[in-house]
């Protein structure tokens, strides 16, 4: 490995946030190294739903990985009878993370970033000479700016001092679509569960179905039982399973740092996801691009250029997270009310579809003091 010459930007982690950051930094004229512990393509536990905000961020080279276009959503509570919401135009896309992440990585490399697989960062060091050093198992990498996208609980996030407000456990089975499956290939199924704040999903993706649940960390047996009941409800207990896995998601405290010196974090590493649905791809793509743009500028002019990135997170993403956290608090306390609003009121169903399509944002909740006060009362 050529570690003698400092890289302009080193990006740690080649998921959606990391590849977006590497691509943006390379397009900004920086000499970029992107590293990851894994080679690609690799499996990643994720529902793979792409909101309109995400689809707007996907580079042209990766657009082909959107496999299913969703026009309907069915809502149930505790696996009861469903209510269907639909729109003539698709409002949600579905992708498998293996080809999606690989295509984003290829777009970063095409833009000029260099990718090294099998690199695990063990320590972040400050040599005091205007660079950052990353100690790995076999070498020390040196860059002017480092972007951490190494996932929830990643080493770079700990270095920056990301403060986590809540951690959730997601479990998912990636099952083969049974022959003669009578489900709707253009509909997602969402079920509000028994555990506070929990929900389950079925996302159709052609030859496979993503079947999963998410709940607050701390009751793994209950979460596993919920997944088993959900698969039974769907008639998929005996369907061949390609992957069965779990992962932790985290979301940050408001005001948690995203920059420390010449190091910045994006995506899951920064705790950037929507707290109610735990949707993170749109946050990863946006924050990754912003981080890459800021890193390229900072590699030329100094770390003060990273302040603009922190302001973007504060002004754009934090209001969305505040709105999502307020909805989650009500959902945990009054799931029947949220179910009724989303599935049985014209405003609720319209907002859900527009949110998925990228035409409405939870920031509209997070920025309105009176709405936040009403939600606070309802969450008591």
């Amino acid at each position: 490995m050529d570690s003698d010459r400092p890289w302009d930007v080193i990006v740690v982690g080649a998921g959606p946030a990391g590849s977006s950051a590497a691509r943006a930094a390379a397009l900004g004229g920086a000499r970029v190294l992107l590293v990851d512990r894994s080679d690609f393509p690799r499996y990643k536990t994720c529902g793979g739903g792409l909101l309109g905000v995400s689809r707007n961020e996907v580079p042209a080279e990766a657009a082909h990985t959107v496999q299913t276009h969703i026009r309907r959503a069915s809502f149930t509570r505790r696996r009861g009878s469903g209510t269907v919401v639909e729109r003539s135009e698709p409002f949600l896309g579905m992708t498998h993370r293996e080809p999606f992440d690989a295509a984003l990585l290829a777009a970063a490399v095409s833009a000029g970033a260099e990718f090294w697989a099998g690199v695990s960062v063990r320590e972040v060091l400050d040599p005091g000479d205007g660079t950052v050093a990353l100690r790995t198992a076999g070498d020390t990498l040196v860059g002017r700016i480092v972007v951490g996208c190494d996932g929830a609980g990643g080493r770079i996030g700990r270095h920056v001092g990301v403060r986590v407000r809540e951690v959730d456990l997601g479990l998912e089975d990636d099952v083969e679509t049974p022959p003669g499956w009578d489900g709707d290939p253009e509909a997602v199924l969402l079920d509000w569960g028994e555990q506070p704040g929990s929900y389950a999903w079925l996302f159709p993706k052609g030859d496979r179905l993503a079947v999963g649940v998410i709940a607050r960390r701390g009751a793994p047996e209950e979460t596993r039982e919920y997944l088993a009941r959900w698969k039974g409800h769907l008639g998929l207990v005996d369907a061949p399973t390609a992957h069965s896995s779990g992962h932790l998601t985290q979301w940050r405290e408001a005001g948690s740092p995203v920059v420390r010196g010449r190091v910045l974090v994006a995506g899951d590493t920064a705790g950037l996801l929507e707290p109610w649905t735990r949707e993170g791809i749109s946050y990863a793509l946006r924050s990754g691009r912003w981080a890459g743009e800021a890193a390229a500028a900072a590699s030329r002019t100094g770390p003060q250029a990273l302040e603009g990135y922190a302001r973007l997170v504060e002004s754009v993403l934090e209001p969305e997270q505040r709105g999502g956290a307020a909805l989650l608090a009500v959902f945990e306390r009054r799931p029947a009310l949220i179910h009724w609003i989303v599935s049985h009121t014209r405003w609720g169903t319209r907002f859900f579809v527009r949110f998925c399509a990228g035409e409405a944002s939870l920031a509209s909740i997070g920025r309105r003091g009176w709405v936040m006060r009403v939600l606070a009362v309802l969450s008591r």
Side-chain angles (χ1 to χ4, degrees):
M1 294 182 180
D2 176 15
S3 57
D4 295 332
R5 177 187 171 192
W7 296 87
D8 293 334
V9 177
I10 301 176
V11 181
V12 182
S19 289
S20 297
R23 179 175 182 268
L27 291 175
R31 178 172 175 261
V32 180
L33 173 64
L34 174 61
V35 301
D36 198 285
R37 290 174 295 184
S38 304
D39 205 346
F40 285 68
R42 54 94 173 95
Y43 180 75
K44 174 71 174 179
T45 305
C46 178
L50 298 180
L51 304 178
V53 175
S54 298
R55 298 197 299 277
N56 291 339
E57 291 284 340
V58 173
E61 300 95 319
H64 68 281
T65 64
V66 181
Q67 296 170 299
T68 308
H69 299 277
I70 300 300
R71 290 177 170 83
R72 287 172 289 280
S74 175
F75 301 98
T76 60
R77 181 166 177 257
R78 298 182 180 181
R79 301 166 302 284
S81 59
T83 300
V84 177
V85 174
E86 63 180 320
R87 183 161 119 167
S88 58
E89 295 297 319
F91 57 84
L92 189 63
M94 289 291 147
T95 186
H96 291 301
R97 284 291 299 274
E98 303 103 310
F100 181 69
D101 288 10
L104 292 177
L105 172 58
V109 172
S110 178
E114 187 166 337
F115 175 61
W116 293 352
V119 177
S120 181
V121 173
R122 296 185 173 182
E123 189 175 6
V124 183
L125 304 169
D126 180 5
D129 60 358
T131 65
V132 180
L134 302 177
R135 188 173 65 84
T136 72
D139 203 349
T140 298
L141 308 176
V142 180
R144 293 183 177 86
I145 303 295
V146 168
V147 183
C149 303
D150 50 340
R155 190 173 300 276
I156 312 299
R158 293 198 298 272
H159 171 80
V160 170
V162 174
R163 299 190 304 273
V164 176
R165 178 171 170 182
E166 186 169 312
V167 179
D168 298 298
L169 171 63
L171 301 176
E172 184 176 80
D173 285 355
D174 195 23
V175 305
E176 297 178 13
T177 303
W181 181 62
D182 61 357
D184 186 341
E186 294 185 340
V188 297
L189 309 185
L190 299 171
D191 176 74
W192 317 124
E194 290 89 344
Q195 296 168 258
S198 66
Y199 76 94
W201 63 86
L202 181 144
F203 291 167
K205 302 178 186 180
D207 61 343
R208 285 191 282 172
L209 304 171
V211 183
V213 300
I214 195 163
R216 182 174 294 183
R217 183 180 66 172
E221 289 301 325
E222 290 182 34
T223 306
R224 280 192 283 268
E225 289 170 4
Y226 184 22
L227 177 58
R229 289 194 298 271
W230 179 234
K231 288 183 69 177
H233 173 74
L234 298 171
L236 296 173
V237 172
D238 298 323
T241 301
H243 299 279
S244 183
S245 59
H247 72 296
L248 297 177
T249 64
Q250 65 180 28
W251 48 282
R252 64 199 285 273
E253 291 183 5
S256 176
V258 293
V259 176
R260 177 183 173 185
R262 292 178 173 271
V263 181
L264 64 164
V265 288
D268 285 345
T269 304
L272 293 171
L273 59 73
E274 192 277 290
W276 179 40
T277 64
R278 286 77 153 189
E279 188 277 324
I281 294 178
S282 70
Y283 287 77
L285 294 172
R286 286 179 290 172
S287 65
R289 176 171 61 83
W290 299 340
E293 293 168 348
S299 71
R300 296 188 299 270
T301 64
Q304 67 276 4
L306 303 181
E307 295 173 3
Y309 169 69
R311 287 194 295 269
L312 276 172
V313 170
E314 179 182 3
S315 63
V316 178
L317 300 185
E318 278 197 6
E320 295 180 16
Q321 290 192 293
R322 282 198 301 272
L327 281 176
L328 176 63
V330 178
F331 179 50
E332 290 177 331
R333 183 72 173 171
R334 304 175 189 272
L337 174 63
I338 294 295
H339 176 64
W340 179 76
I341 291 173
V342 172
S343 58
H344 290 86
T345 71
R346 182 177 179 181
W347 177 88
T349 56
R350 185 170 181 267
F351 184 86
F352 176 83
V353 170
R354 295 186 68 240
F355 167 73
C356 291
E359 300 164 1
S361 167
L362 292 181
S364 62
I365 295 173
R367 290 195 179 103
R368 287 181 168 84
W370 70 269
V371 176
M372 293 291 286
R373 288 192 291 273
V374 169
L375 293 176
V377 171
L378 292 174
S379 65
R380 292 173 186 168

